[in-house]
Amino acid sequence: MHKYILRRLGLLIPVIVGVMFVIFTLTYITDGDPATLMLGDQAPPEDIAALRVELGLEDPFFVQFARYIVNVAQLDFGTSFTSRRPVFDEIIARLPTTLHLATMSIILAVVLGVPLGILSATKQYTIFDNGATVIGLLGVSIPTFWLGLMFILLFSVNLGWLPSAGFGTPVHWILPSFTIALMSMAIIMRMTRSSMLEVIRQDYIRTARAKGQKESAIIFRHALKNALIPVITVIGLQFGMLLGGAILTESIYAIPGLGRFMVDAIARRDFPVIQGGVLLIALAFSFVNLLVDVLYSYIDPRIRSQYK
């Protein structure tokens, strides 16, 4: 098992290098001179040229990319063009808020999505199944930014129940969490339903019923445990997606997290911040997938025997 984890960690290295190459290439070919952005349009041309030499912007592409890899390996993501502070410090200061929002949202999505999926599968073609299907279709179809605005209009402006901005108290967490959790909840519910429907038709489920076991024991002890592999995969992917999906939600609710920071950086063409934020999200996504693979071995003994 330890060898498998180490091997997977080793495979993350080329993935991260590939992500860094894509990020660096896109910012390299994007219009806008970093030296001009830092000094301003009114700066003398000789000062801009001197700063370009100081920043190494006159070097060939692959020389700049190699220097970027070395700096990132030393946790040096560069300096923000606007705040003049290290990008790593800026990201670390805002990352806990984004992780908090994403974690609450995925917990909410799992708590709602898995039971709805089980209910929909065990009560197939009933009003419960139809209701869960409608909820799932709405969750997948409604855009996050529109849903956030509607929540603000309904619960903040019209009813006055919840605040429309900020993230300081648990009351502030409700609207943003539900906003980005709805789509993940719908996807998890649909995957749980389809996986459970496949499992409850197996012969060992019929055998368990023939032996007189309680229906609750059959559903949760036999069916759900064997249906969890694809569900856990979707949960892991959704958590990674929530880290990126929090960008728009943080902007709508004025949450001082990584997402809003990156949106402001894109508007100002603050390339080091964009590179650092995207790279950090890619790292988080990769480690979540690794954690999901490790969880497989604790759920399915057949997978654990392969590791041995």
Side-chain angles (χ1 to χ4, degrees):
M1 186 65 185
H2 298 292
K3 292 182 180 180
Y4 172 78
I5 296 175
L6 292 175
R7 186 163 62 250
R8 284 300 308 272
L9 288 173
L11 291 175
L12 288 181
I13 296 176
V15 173
I16 298 304
V17 173
V19 171
M20 292 171 63
F21 180 77
V22 172
I23 298 170
F24 187 83
T25 302
L26 291 176
T27 54
Y28 182 83
I29 64 178
T30 301
D31 292 337
D33 181 18
T36 304
L37 293 173
M38 294 178 70
L39 296 179
D41 296 333
Q42 305 301 322
E46 55 273 15
D47 292 346
I48 295 177
L51 183 58
R52 286 184 59 85
V53 173
E54 180 183 348
L55 296 175
L57 299 177
E58 301 294 338
D59 296 333
F61 170 80
F62 287 103
V63 174
Q64 296 185 43
F65 178 62
R67 183 167 56 240
Y68 175 65
I69 292 178
V70 172
N71 291 337
V72 170
Q74 300 172 355
L75 298 181
D76 180 8
F77 290 2
T79 303
S80 172
F81 293 163
T82 54
S83 66
R84 300 295 193 272
R85 294 186 57 194
V87 174
F88 183 79
D89 295 342
E90 295 273 21
I91 290 176
I92 292 300
R94 294 167 173 82
L95 182 61
T97 301
T98 300
L99 286 176
H100 187 189
L101 176 59
T103 302
M104 288 191 304
S105 300
I106 196 64
I107 291 174
L108 185 62
V110 171
V111 169
L112 296 177
V114 173
L116 279 176
I118 296 173
L119 180 65
S120 179
T122 54
K123 305 292 184 181
Q124 190 179 15
Y125 304 131
T126 65
I127 188 173
F128 301 104
D129 186 21
N130 295 333
T133 302
V134 170
I135 294 174
L137 290 174
L138 288 175
V140 174
S141 304
I142 297 177
T144 301
F145 67 89
W146 183 87
L147 183 64
L149 294 175
M150 293 302 102
F151 278 171
I152 291 175
L153 287 175
L154 177 61
F155 296 105
S156 299
V157 177
N158 294 332
L159 299 177
W161 292 351
L162 298 170
S164 61
F167 205 67
T169 64
V171 179
H172 291 84
W173 305 344
I174 297 175
L175 288 184
S177 299
F178 272 94
T179 299
I180 62 175
L182 182 61
M183 179 178 292
S184 297
M185 182 271 293
I187 294 174
I188 292 171
M189 185 274 293
R190 292 168 65 90
M191 177 56 68
T192 304
R193 178 184 183 274
S194 62
S195 184
M196 284 290 294
L197 284 175
E198 182 179 353
V199 169
I200 61 178
R201 296 190 179 111
Q202 299 296 321
D203 291 338
Y204 66 88
I205 299 295
R206 298 191 189 97
T207 303
R209 286 197 176 102
K211 292 170 63 177
Q213 291 195 10
K214 293 182 179 180
E215 188 66 20
S216 59
I218 294 173
I219 295 300
F220 292 101
R221 186 182 303 173
H222 299 290
L224 181 60
K225 187 174 182 180
N226 289 283
L228 276 181
I229 294 295
V231 176
I232 289 178
T233 303
V234 169
I235 292 173
L237 293 175
Q238 287 303 307
F239 182 70
M241 294 295 292
L242 287 176
L243 291 174
I247 292 177
L248 289 176
T249 304
E250 289 179 359
S251 299
I252 293 172
Y253 292 100
I255 299 173
L258 180 60
R260 186 184 178 192
F261 183 52
M262 288 182 61
V263 170
D264 295 340
I266 292 172
R268 296 191 297 260
R269 293 188 178 182
D270 198 340
F271 297 142
V273 172
I274 300 172
Q275 291 174 339
V278 174
L279 179 60
L280 195 65
I281 292 175
L283 279 170
F285 204 105
S286 300
F287 279 105
V288 167
N289 286 333
L290 174 61
L291 178 61
V292 168
D293 289 344
V294 173
L295 285 176
Y296 288 164
S297 64
Y298 292 98
I299 295 174
D300 194 336
R302 295 170 298 180
I303 298 177
R304 184 163 59 248
S305 64
Q306 293 178 4
Y307 296 153
K308 294 180 180 179

